[in-house]
PDB file of all heavy atoms in Angstrom:
ATOM      1  N   VAL A  56       0.823  -1.199   0.010  1.00 73.00           N
ATOM      2  CA  VAL A  56       0.000  -0.071   0.039  1.00 73.00           C
ATOM      3  C   VAL A  56       0.889   1.272   0.028  1.00 73.00           C
ATOM      4  O   VAL A  56       0.652   2.254  -0.760  1.00 73.00           O
ATOM      5  CB  VAL A  56      -0.924  -0.028   1.227  1.00 73.00           C
ATOM      6  CG1 VAL A  56      -1.622   1.275   1.344  1.00 73.00           C
ATOM      7  CG2 VAL A  56      -1.976  -1.221   1.129  1.00 73.00           C
ATOM      8  N   SER A  57       1.949   1.212   0.815  1.00 70.00           N
ATOM      9  CA  SER A  57       2.850   2.424   0.886  1.00 70.00           C
ATOM     10  C   SER A  57       3.524   2.636  -0.392  1.00 70.00           C
ATOM     11  O   SER A  57       3.736   3.788  -0.914  1.00 70.00           O
ATOM     12  CB  SER A  57       3.784   2.212   1.954  1.00 70.00           C
ATOM     13  OG  SER A  57       3.265   2.064   3.282  1.00 70.00           O
ATOM     14  N   GLU A  58       3.948   1.546  -1.143  1.00 74.00           N
ATOM     15  CA  GLU A  58       4.583   1.702  -2.460  1.00 74.00           C
ATOM     16  C   GLU A  58       3.655   2.254  -3.448  1.00 74.00           C
ATOM     17  O   GLU A  58       3.949   3.102  -4.202  1.00 74.00           O
ATOM     18  CB  GLU A  58       5.004   0.294  -2.834  1.00 74.00           C
ATOM     19  CG  GLU A  58       5.798   0.371  -4.133  1.00 74.00           C
ATOM     20  CD  GLU A  58       6.352  -1.050  -4.573  1.00 74.00           C
ATOM     21  OE1 GLU A  58       5.467  -1.907  -4.510  1.00 74.00           O
ATOM     22  OE2 GLU A  58       7.536  -1.185  -4.999  1.00 74.00           O
ATOM     23  N   HIS A  59       2.252   1.831  -3.258  1.00 75.00           N
ATOM     24  CA  HIS A  59       1.325   2.451  -4.259  1.00 75.00           C
ATOM     25  C   HIS A  59       1.122   3.961  -4.030  1.00 75.00           C
ATOM     26  O   HIS A  59       1.015   4.724  -4.942  1.00 75.00           O
ATOM     27  CB  HIS A  59      -0.011   1.698  -4.117  1.00 75.00           C
ATOM     28  CG  HIS A  59      -1.106   2.192  -5.018  1.00 75.00           C
ATOM     29  ND1 HIS A  59      -1.057   1.849  -6.358  1.00 75.00           N
ATOM     30  CD2 HIS A  59      -2.259   2.992  -4.832  1.00 75.00           C
ATOM     31  CE1 HIS A  59      -2.187   2.440  -6.984  1.00 75.00           C
ATOM     32  NE2 HIS A  59      -2.836   3.082  -5.975  1.00 75.00           N
ATOM     33  N   LEU A  60       1.198   4.391  -2.728  1.00 69.00           N
ATOM     34  CA  LEU A  60       1.066   5.756  -2.338  1.00 69.00           C
ATOM     35  C   LEU A  60       2.222   6.547  -2.914  1.00 69.00           C
ATOM     36  O   LEU A  60       2.113   7.738  -3.397  1.00 69.00           O
ATOM     37  CB  LEU A  60       0.913   5.887  -0.830  1.00 69.00           C
ATOM     38  CG  LEU A  60      -0.322   5.376  -0.146  1.00 69.00           C
ATOM     39  CD1 LEU A  60      -0.243   5.463   1.276  1.00 69.00           C
ATOM     40  CD2 LEU A  60      -1.609   6.120  -0.689  1.00 69.00           C
ATOM     41  N   SER A  61       3.454   5.889  -2.918  1.00 70.00           N
ATOM     42  CA  SER A  61       4.551   6.532  -3.422  1.00 70.00           C
ATOM     43  C   SER A  61       4.498   6.773  -4.933  1.00 70.00           C
ATOM     44  O   SER A  61       4.828   7.823  -5.414  1.00 70.00           O
ATOM     45  CB  SER A  61       5.780   5.669  -3.125  1.00 70.00           C
ATOM     46  OG  SER A  61       7.002   6.318  -3.621  1.00 70.00           O
ATOM     47  N   LYS A  62       4.007   5.783  -5.583  1.00 75.00           N
ATOM     48  CA  LYS A  62       3.711   5.945  -7.078  1.00 75.00           C
ATOM     49  C   LYS A  62       2.781   7.036  -7.412  1.00 75.00           C
ATOM     50  O   LYS A  62       2.918   7.814  -8.323  1.00 75.00           O
ATOM     51  CB  LYS A  62       3.204   4.522  -7.679  1.00 75.00           C
ATOM     52  CG  LYS A  62       4.283   3.457  -7.613  1.00 75.00           C
ATOM     53  CD  LYS A  62       3.685   2.211  -8.183  1.00 75.00           C
ATOM     54  CE  LYS A  62       4.791   1.054  -8.177  1.00 75.00           C
ATOM     55  NZ  LYS A  62       4.143  -0.237  -8.721  1.00 75.00           N
ATOM     56  N   GLN A  63       1.766   7.133  -6.586  1.00 72.00           N
ATOM     57  CA  GLN A  63       0.749   8.197  -6.826  1.00 72.00           C
ATOM     58  C   GLN A  63       1.348   9.593  -6.566  1.00 72.00           C
ATOM     59  O   GLN A  63       1.141  10.556  -7.318  1.00 72.00           O
ATOM     60  CB  GLN A  63      -0.500   8.084  -5.891  1.00 72.00           C
ATOM     61  CG  GLN A  63      -1.445   6.905  -6.253  1.00 72.00           C
ATOM     62  CD  GLN A  63      -2.589   6.914  -5.414  1.00 72.00           C
ATOM     63  OE1 GLN A  63      -2.591   7.329  -4.278  1.00 72.00           O
ATOM     64  NE2 GLN A  63      -3.709   6.344  -5.941  1.00 72.00           N
ATOM     65  N   THR A  64       2.315   9.599  -5.583  1.00 68.00           N
ATOM     66  CA  THR A  64       3.095  10.924  -5.386  1.00 68.00           C
ATOM     67  C   THR A  64       3.912  11.192  -6.491  1.00 68.00           C
ATOM     68  O   THR A  64       3.987  12.432  -7.007  1.00 68.00           O
ATOM     69  CB  THR A  64       3.883  10.701  -4.131  1.00 68.00           C
ATOM     70  OG1 THR A  64       3.128  10.414  -3.005  1.00 68.00           O
ATOM     71  CG2 THR A  64       4.718  12.032  -3.729  1.00 68.00           C
ATOM     72  N   ASN A  65       4.623  10.245  -7.082  1.00 72.00           N
ATOM     73  CA  ASN A  65       5.438  10.476  -8.300  1.00 72.00           C
ATOM     74  C   ASN A  65       4.684  10.930  -9.517  1.00 72.00           C
ATOM     75  O   ASN A  65       5.057  11.809 -10.178  1.00 72.00           O
ATOM     76  CB  ASN A  65       6.284   9.219  -8.653  1.00 72.00           C
ATOM     77  CG  ASN A  65       7.298   9.003  -7.582  1.00 72.00           C
ATOM     78  OD1 ASN A  65       7.860   9.869  -6.931  1.00 72.00           O
ATOM     79  ND2 ASN A  65       7.708   7.667  -7.441  1.00 72.00           N
ATOM     80  N   GLN A  66       3.467  10.257  -9.643  1.00 74.00           N
ATOM     81  CA  GLN A  66       2.569  10.722 -10.722  1.00 74.00           C
ATOM     82  C   GLN A  66       2.080  12.200 -10.542  1.00 74.00           C
ATOM     83  O   GLN A  66       2.020  12.921 -11.534  1.00 74.00           O
ATOM     84  CB  GLN A  66       1.313   9.738 -10.801  1.00 74.00           C
ATOM     85  CG  GLN A  66       0.303  10.079 -11.923  1.00 74.00           C
ATOM     86  CD  GLN A  66       1.001   9.829 -13.210  1.00 74.00           C
ATOM     87  OE1 GLN A  66       1.874   8.968 -13.408  1.00 74.00           O
ATOM     88  NE2 GLN A  66       0.579  10.605 -14.193  1.00 74.00           N
ATOM     89  N   THR A  67       1.806  12.550  -9.362  1.00 69.00           N
ATOM     90  CA  THR A  67       1.435  13.852  -9.088  1.00 69.00           C
ATOM     91  C   THR A  67       2.517  14.837  -9.500  1.00 69.00           C
ATOM     92  O   THR A  67       2.257  15.919 -10.058  1.00 69.00           O
ATOM     93  CB  THR A  67       0.952  14.050  -7.609  1.00 69.00           C
ATOM     94  OG1 THR A  67      -0.054  13.174  -7.319  1.00 69.00           O
ATOM     95  CG2 THR A  67       0.418  15.546  -7.361  1.00 69.00           C
ATOM     96  N   ILE A  68       3.716  14.532  -9.102  1.00 67.00           N
ATOM     97  CA  ILE A  68       4.886  15.476  -9.414  1.00 67.00           C
ATOM     98  C   ILE A  68       5.077  15.481 -10.998  1.00 67.00           C
ATOM     99  O   ILE A  68       5.349  16.624 -11.406  1.00 67.00           O
ATOM    100  CB  ILE A  68       6.167  14.772  -8.721  1.00 67.00           C
ATOM    101  CG1 ILE A  68       6.020  14.881  -7.224  1.00 67.00           C
ATOM    102  CG2 ILE A  68       7.403  15.563  -9.219  1.00 67.00           C
ATOM    103  CD1 ILE A  68       7.131  14.118  -6.443  1.00 67.00           C
ATOM    104  N   LYS A  69       4.890  14.360 -11.569  1.00 74.00           N
ATOM    105  CA  LYS A  69       5.017  14.435 -13.080  1.00 74.00           C
ATOM    106  C   LYS A  69       3.926  15.383 -13.683  1.00 74.00           C
ATOM    107  O   LYS A  69       4.226  16.065 -14.647  1.00 74.00           O
ATOM    108  CB  LYS A  69       4.826  12.983 -13.676  1.00 74.00           C
ATOM    109  CG  LYS A  69       6.020  12.106 -13.367  1.00 74.00           C
ATOM    110  CD  LYS A  69       5.857  10.758 -13.988  1.00 74.00           C
ATOM    111  CE  LYS A  69       7.019   9.875 -13.632  1.00 74.00           C
ATOM    112  NZ  LYS A  69       6.988   8.477 -14.139  1.00 74.00           N
ATOM    113  N   GLU A  70       2.744  15.356 -13.141  1.00 70.00           N
ATOM    114  CA  GLU A  70       1.681  16.277 -13.655  1.00 70.00           C
ATOM    115  C   GLU A  70       2.032  17.683 -13.383  1.00 70.00           C
ATOM    116  O   GLU A  70       1.736  18.566 -14.217  1.00 70.00           O
ATOM    117  CB  GLU A  70       0.332  15.888 -12.937  1.00 70.00           C
ATOM    118  CG  GLU A  70      -0.134  14.570 -13.351  1.00 70.00           C
ATOM    119  CD  GLU A  70      -1.432  14.132 -12.521  1.00 70.00           C
ATOM    120  OE1 GLU A  70      -1.806  14.943 -11.708  1.00 70.00           O
ATOM    121  OE2 GLU A  70      -2.022  13.045 -12.803  1.00 70.00           O
ATOM    122  N   SER A  71       2.655  17.903 -12.285  1.00 63.00           N
ATOM    123  CA  SER A  71       3.122  19.347 -12.035  1.00 63.00           C
ATOM    124  C   SER A  71       4.112  19.735 -12.978  1.00 63.00           C
ATOM    125  O   SER A  71       4.129  20.911 -13.515  1.00 63.00           O
ATOM    126  CB  SER A  71       3.740  19.419 -10.580  1.00 63.00           C
ATOM    127  OG  SER A  71       2.656  19.113  -9.598  1.00 63.00           O
ATOM    128  N   LYS A  72       5.077  18.906 -13.352  1.00 67.00           N
ATOM    129  CA  LYS A  72       6.128  19.235 -14.284  1.00 67.00           C
ATOM    130  C   LYS A  72       5.428  19.545 -15.752  1.00 67.00           C
ATOM    131  O   LYS A  72       5.894  20.437 -16.398  1.00 67.00           O
ATOM    132  CB  LYS A  72       7.077  17.953 -14.417  1.00 67.00           C
ATOM    133  CG  LYS A  72       8.101  18.213 -15.431  1.00 67.00           C
ATOM    134  CD  LYS A  72       9.082  17.004 -15.487  1.00 67.00           C
ATOM    135  CE  LYS A  72      10.172  17.155 -16.579  1.00 67.00           C
ATOM    136  NZ  LYS A  72      11.039  15.933 -16.582  1.00 67.00           N
ATOM    137  N   THR A  73       4.507  18.655 -16.021  1.00 71.00           N
ATOM    138  CA  THR A  73       3.846  18.924 -17.424  1.00 71.00           C
ATOM    139  C   THR A  73       3.155  20.244 -17.406  1.00 71.00           C
ATOM    140  O   THR A  73       3.231  21.025 -18.453  1.00 71.00           O
ATOM    141  CB  THR A  73       2.825  17.805 -17.653  1.00 71.00           C
ATOM    142  OG1 THR A  73       3.518  16.527 -17.588  1.00 71.00           O
ATOM    143  CG2 THR A  73       2.165  17.991 -19.047  1.00 71.00           C
ATOM    144  N   LEU A  74       2.478  20.583 -16.272  1.00 61.00           N
ATOM    145  CA  LEU A  74       1.837  21.888 -16.197  1.00 61.00           C
ATOM    146  C   LEU A  74       2.748  23.067 -16.381  1.00 61.00           C
ATOM    147  O   LEU A  74       2.507  24.025 -17.093  1.00 61.00           O
ATOM    148  CB  LEU A  74       1.075  22.025 -14.882  1.00 61.00           C
ATOM    149  CG  LEU A  74       0.353  23.321 -14.543  1.00 61.00           C
ATOM    150  CD1 LEU A  74      -0.815  23.600 -15.655  1.00 61.00           C
ATOM    151  CD2 LEU A  74      -0.265  23.406 -13.218  1.00 61.00           C
ATOM    152  N   LEU A  75       3.937  22.956 -15.728  1.00 58.00           N
ATOM    153  CA  LEU A  75       4.977  24.017 -15.911  1.00 58.00           C
ATOM    154  C   LEU A  75       5.449  24.158 -17.359  1.00 58.00           C
ATOM    155  O   LEU A  75       5.622  25.300 -17.793  1.00 58.00           O
ATOM    156  CB  LEU A  75       6.131  23.723 -14.974  1.00 58.00           C
ATOM    157  CG  LEU A  75       5.880  24.062 -13.433  1.00 58.00           C
ATOM    158  CD1 LEU A  75       7.037  23.588 -12.645  1.00 58.00           C
ATOM    159  CD2 LEU A  75       5.776  25.569 -13.292  1.00 58.00           C
ATOM    160  N   GLU A  76       5.639  23.060 -18.014  1.00 65.00           N
ATOM    161  CA  GLU A  76       6.155  23.022 -19.387  1.00 65.00           C
ATOM    162  C   GLU A  76       5.098  23.602 -20.301  1.00 65.00           C
ATOM    163  O   GLU A  76       5.442  24.383 -21.256  1.00 65.00           O
ATOM    164  CB  GLU A  76       6.515  21.625 -19.834  1.00 65.00           C
ATOM    165  CG  GLU A  76       7.790  21.057 -19.087  1.00 65.00           C
ATOM    166  CD  GLU A  76       8.075  19.611 -19.516  1.00 65.00           C
ATOM    167  OE1 GLU A  76       7.164  19.017 -20.080  1.00 65.00           O
ATOM    168  OE2 GLU A  76       9.151  19.230 -19.103  1.00 65.00           O
ATOM    169  N   ASP A  77       3.779  23.340 -20.085  1.00 63.00           N
ATOM    170  CA  ASP A  77       2.720  23.979 -20.889  1.00 63.00           C
ATOM    171  C   ASP A  77       2.635  25.418 -20.677  1.00 63.00           C
ATOM    172  O   ASP A  77       2.137  26.162 -21.521  1.00 63.00           O
ATOM    173  CB  ASP A  77       1.381  23.191 -20.614  1.00 63.00           C
ATOM    174  CG  ASP A  77       1.476  21.740 -21.081  1.00 63.00           C
ATOM    175  OD1 ASP A  77       2.359  21.414 -21.950  1.00 63.00           O
ATOM    176  OD2 ASP A  77       0.673  20.950 -20.566  1.00 63.00           O
ATOM    177  N   SER A  78       2.826  25.913 -19.479  1.00 59.00           N
ATOM    178  CA  SER A  78       2.610  27.310 -19.071  1.00 59.00           C
ATOM    179  C   SER A  78       3.791  28.278 -19.450  1.00 59.00           C
ATOM    180  O   SER A  78       3.641  29.471 -19.490  1.00 59.00           O
ATOM    181  CB  SER A  78       2.307  27.454 -17.603  1.00 59.00           C
ATOM    182  OG  SER A  78       1.302  26.692 -17.191  1.00 59.00           O
ATOM    183  N   LYS A  79       4.938  27.753 -19.713  1.00 57.00           N
ATOM    184  CA  LYS A  79       6.108  28.553 -19.921  1.00 57.00           C
ATOM    185  C   LYS A  79       6.013  29.366 -21.227  1.00 57.00           C
ATOM    186  O   LYS A  79       6.770  30.452 -21.296  1.00 57.00           O
ATOM    187  CB  LYS A  79       7.411  27.766 -19.797  1.00 57.00           C
ATOM    188  CG  LYS A  79       7.568  26.822 -21.027  1.00 57.00           C
ATOM    189  CD  LYS A  79       8.903  26.092 -20.819  1.00 57.00           C
ATOM    190  CE  LYS A  79       9.085  25.032 -22.079  1.00 57.00           C
ATOM    191  NZ  LYS A  79      10.365  24.333 -21.885  1.00 57.00           N
ATOM    192  N   SER A  80       5.302  29.004 -22.203  1.00 59.00           N
ATOM    193  CA  SER A  80       5.196  29.669 -23.528  1.00 59.00           C
ATOM    194  C   SER A  80       4.481  31.037 -23.362  1.00 59.00           C
ATOM    195  O   SER A  80       4.579  31.865 -24.200  1.00 59.00           O
ATOM    196  CB  SER A  80       4.543  28.810 -24.583  1.00 59.00           C
ATOM    197  OG  SER A  80       3.225  28.510 -24.157  1.00 59.00           O
ATOM    198  N   VAL A  81       3.655  31.205 -22.276  1.00 51.00           N
ATOM    199  CA  VAL A  81       2.910  32.562 -22.169  1.00 51.00           C
ATOM    200  C   VAL A  81       3.513  33.388 -21.020  1.00 51.00           C
ATOM    201  O   VAL A  81       2.803  34.324 -20.676  1.00 51.00           O
ATOM    202  CB  VAL A  81       1.476  32.159 -21.944  1.00 51.00           C
ATOM    203  CG1 VAL A  81       0.825  31.408 -23.070  1.00 51.00           C
ATOM    204  CG2 VAL A  81       1.373  31.218 -20.654  1.00 51.00           C
ATOM    205  N   LEU A  82       4.543  32.959 -20.536  1.00 54.00           N
ATOM    206  CA  LEU A  82       5.116  33.777 -19.413  1.00 54.00           C
ATOM    207  C   LEU A  82       6.293  34.589 -19.855  1.00 54.00           C
ATOM    208  O   LEU A  82       6.921  34.222 -20.950  1.00 54.00           O
ATOM    209  CB  LEU A  82       5.637  32.768 -18.208  1.00 54.00           C
ATOM    210  CG  LEU A  82       4.576  31.908 -17.588  1.00 54.00           C
ATOM    211  CD1 LEU A  82       5.200  31.001 -16.578  1.00 54.00           C
ATOM    212  CD2 LEU A  82       3.592  32.843 -16.831  1.00 54.00           C
ATOM    213  N   TYR A  83       6.636  35.638 -19.274  1.00 53.00           N
ATOM    214  CA  TYR A  83       7.745  36.446 -19.658  1.00 53.00           C
ATOM    215  C   TYR A  83       8.989  35.738 -19.421  1.00 53.00           C
ATOM    216  O   TYR A  83       9.024  34.634 -18.738  1.00 53.00           O
ATOM    217  CB  TYR A  83       7.755  37.680 -18.779  1.00 53.00           C
ATOM    218  CG  TYR A  83       6.674  38.661 -19.142  1.00 53.00           C
ATOM    219  CD1 TYR A  83       5.586  38.828 -18.183  1.00 53.00           C
ATOM    220  CD2 TYR A  83       6.586  39.417 -20.338  1.00 53.00           C
ATOM    221  CE1 TYR A  83       4.539  39.655 -18.487  1.00 53.00           C
ATOM    222  CE2 TYR A  83       5.550  40.283 -20.583  1.00 53.00           C
ATOM    223  CZ  TYR A  83       4.480  40.459 -19.707  1.00 53.00           C
ATOM    224  OH  TYR A  83       3.597  41.326 -20.028  1.00 53.00           O
ATOM    225  N   LEU A  84      10.046  36.144 -19.972  1.00 59.00           N
ATOM    226  CA  LEU A  84      11.277  35.447 -19.946  1.00 59.00           C
ATOM    227  C   LEU A  84      11.669  35.158 -18.460  1.00 59.00           C
ATOM    228  O   LEU A  84      12.097  34.103 -18.160  1.00 59.00           O
ATOM    229  CB  LEU A  84      12.340  36.266 -20.723  1.00 59.00           C
ATOM    230  CG  LEU A  84      13.787  35.525 -20.802  1.00 59.00           C
ATOM    231  CD1 LEU A  84      13.686  34.168 -21.450  1.00 59.00           C
ATOM    232  CD2 LEU A  84      14.664  36.440 -21.524  1.00 59.00           C
ATOM    233  N   MET A  85      11.559  36.290 -17.756  1.00 53.00           N
ATOM    234  CA  MET A  85      11.960  36.150 -16.335  1.00 53.00           C
ATOM    235  C   MET A  85      11.189  35.223 -15.521  1.00 53.00           C
ATOM    236  O   MET A  85      11.609  34.394 -14.695  1.00 53.00           O
ATOM    237  CB  MET A  85      12.070  37.546 -15.707  1.00 53.00           C
ATOM    238  CG  MET A  85      13.121  38.501 -16.249  1.00 53.00           C
ATOM    239  SD  MET A  85      14.738  37.829 -16.164  1.00 53.00           S
ATOM    240  CE  MET A  85      14.977  37.868 -14.479  1.00 53.00           C
ATOM    241  N   PHE A  86       9.811  35.374 -15.872  1.00 59.00           N
ATOM    242  CA  PHE A  86       8.908  34.491 -15.214  1.00 59.00           C
ATOM    243  C   PHE A  86       9.158  33.033 -15.584  1.00 59.00           C
ATOM    244  O   PHE A  86       8.966  32.077 -14.757  1.00 59.00           O
ATOM    245  CB  PHE A  86       7.406  34.979 -15.526  1.00 59.00           C
ATOM    246  CG  PHE A  86       6.405  34.161 -14.759  1.00 59.00           C
ATOM    247  CD1 PHE A  86       6.070  34.462 -13.517  1.00 59.00           C
ATOM    248  CD2 PHE A  86       5.654  33.196 -15.386  1.00 59.00           C
ATOM    249  CE1 PHE A  86       5.244  33.744 -12.759  1.00 59.00           C
ATOM    250  CE2 PHE A  86       4.620  32.458 -14.705  1.00 59.00           C
ATOM    251  CZ  PHE A  86       4.428  32.815 -13.369  1.00 59.00           C
ATOM    252  N   ALA A  87       9.497  32.882 -16.915  1.00 60.00           N
ATOM    253  CA  ALA A  87       9.822  31.558 -17.396  1.00 60.00           C
ATOM    254  C   ALA A  87      10.959  31.069 -16.714  1.00 60.00           C
ATOM    255  O   ALA A  87      11.016  29.850 -16.364  1.00 60.00           O
ATOM    256  CB  ALA A  87       9.910  31.535 -18.949  1.00 60.00           C
ATOM    257  N   LEU A  88      12.008  31.878 -16.667  1.00 59.00           N
ATOM    258  CA  LEU A  88      13.280  31.447 -15.967  1.00 59.00           C
ATOM    259  C   LEU A  88      12.957  31.107 -14.470  1.00 59.00           C
ATOM    260  O   LEU A  88      13.449  30.091 -13.942  1.00 59.00           O
ATOM    261  CB  LEU A  88      14.307  32.588 -15.955  1.00 59.00           C
ATOM    262  CG  LEU A  88      15.625  32.259 -15.435  1.00 59.00           C
ATOM    263  CD1 LEU A  88      16.305  31.096 -16.026  1.00 59.00           C
ATOM    264  CD2 LEU A  88      16.492  33.552 -15.497  1.00 59.00           C
ATOM    265  N   ALA A  89      12.165  31.991 -13.845  1.00 54.00           N
ATOM    266  CA  ALA A  89      11.820  31.753 -12.482  1.00 54.00           C
ATOM    267  C   ALA A  89      10.959  30.414 -12.298  1.00 54.00           C
ATOM    268  O   ALA A  89      11.207  29.599 -11.420  1.00 54.00           O
ATOM    269  CB  ALA A  89      10.984  32.850 -11.867  1.00 54.00           C
ATOM    270  N   SER A  90      10.087  30.200 -13.412  1.00 59.00           N
ATOM    271  CA  SER A  90       9.364  28.977 -13.311  1.00 59.00           C
ATOM    272  C   SER A  90      10.206  27.768 -13.470  1.00 59.00           C
ATOM    273  O   SER A  90      10.002  26.733 -12.916  1.00 59.00           O
ATOM    274  CB  SER A  90       8.273  29.018 -14.389  1.00 59.00           C
ATOM    275  OG  SER A  90       7.348  30.093 -14.166  1.00 59.00           O
ATOM    276  N   MET A  91      11.176  27.888 -14.412  1.00 64.00           N
ATOM    277  CA  MET A  91      12.193  26.849 -14.629  1.00 64.00           C
ATOM    278  C   MET A  91      12.901  26.492 -13.354  1.00 64.00           C
ATOM    279  O   MET A  91      13.175  25.340 -13.024  1.00 64.00           O
ATOM    280  CB  MET A  91      13.067  27.150 -15.752  1.00 64.00           C
ATOM    281  CG  MET A  91      12.337  27.156 -17.143  1.00 64.00           C
ATOM    282  SD  MET A  91      13.456  27.684 -18.496  1.00 64.00           S
ATOM    283  CE  MET A  91      14.613  26.332 -18.404  1.00 64.00           C
ATOM    284  N   ILE A  92      13.360  27.589 -12.640  1.00 63.00           N
ATOM    285  CA  ILE A  92      14.122  27.378 -11.440  1.00 63.00           C
ATOM    286  C   ILE A  92      13.251  26.681 -10.481  1.00 63.00           C
ATOM    287  O   ILE A  92      13.617  25.761  -9.752  1.00 63.00           O
ATOM    288  CB  ILE A  92      14.630  28.777 -10.959  1.00 63.00           C
ATOM    289  CG1 ILE A  92      15.648  29.277 -11.934  1.00 63.00           C
ATOM    290  CG2 ILE A  92      15.239  28.594  -9.434  1.00 63.00           C
ATOM    291  CD1 ILE A  92      16.200  30.708 -11.504  1.00 63.00           C
ATOM    292  N   ALA A  93      11.941  27.246 -10.376  1.00 55.00           N
ATOM    293  CA  ALA A  93      11.024  26.635  -9.414  1.00 55.00           C
ATOM    294  C   ALA A  93      10.717  25.186  -9.742  1.00 55.00           C
ATOM    295  O   ALA A  93      10.684  24.331  -8.853  1.00 55.00           O
ATOM    296  CB  ALA A  93       9.726  27.320  -9.361  1.00 55.00           C
ATOM    297  N   LEU A  94      10.685  24.948 -11.057  1.00 61.00           N
ATOM    298  CA  LEU A  94      10.422  23.515 -11.514  1.00 61.00           C
ATOM    299  C   LEU A  94      11.628  22.628 -11.106  1.00 61.00           C
ATOM    300  O   LEU A  94      11.403  21.454 -10.647  1.00 61.00           O
ATOM    301  CB  LEU A  94      10.202  23.518 -12.973  1.00 61.00           C
ATOM    302  CG  LEU A  94       9.939  22.135 -13.572  1.00 61.00           C
ATOM    303  CD1 LEU A  94       8.640  21.440 -13.029  1.00 61.00           C
ATOM    304  CD2 LEU A  94       9.809  22.100 -15.088  1.00 61.00           C
ATOM    305  N   LEU A  95      12.874  23.167 -11.321  1.00 66.00           N
ATOM    306  CA  LEU A  95      13.940  22.435 -10.978  1.00 66.00           C
ATOM    307  C   LEU A  95      14.103  22.158  -9.524  1.00 66.00           C
ATOM    308  O   LEU A  95      14.324  20.916  -9.168  1.00 66.00           O
ATOM    309  CB  LEU A  95      15.232  23.204 -11.410  1.00 66.00           C
ATOM    310  CG  LEU A  95      16.546  22.529 -11.117  1.00 66.00           C
ATOM    311  CD1 LEU A  95      16.643  21.225 -11.865  1.00 66.00           C
ATOM    312  CD2 LEU A  95      17.747  23.453 -11.522  1.00 66.00           C
TER     313      LEU A  95
END
């Protein structure tokens, strides 16, 4: 059960990464840079 919870956590993190990548095209350069740093 704990391993399954860990997989769900990783899946959630991957979704966050995808959201950041989709949003960076509409952000200013600095915001994009900040977002990239935040994503990193």
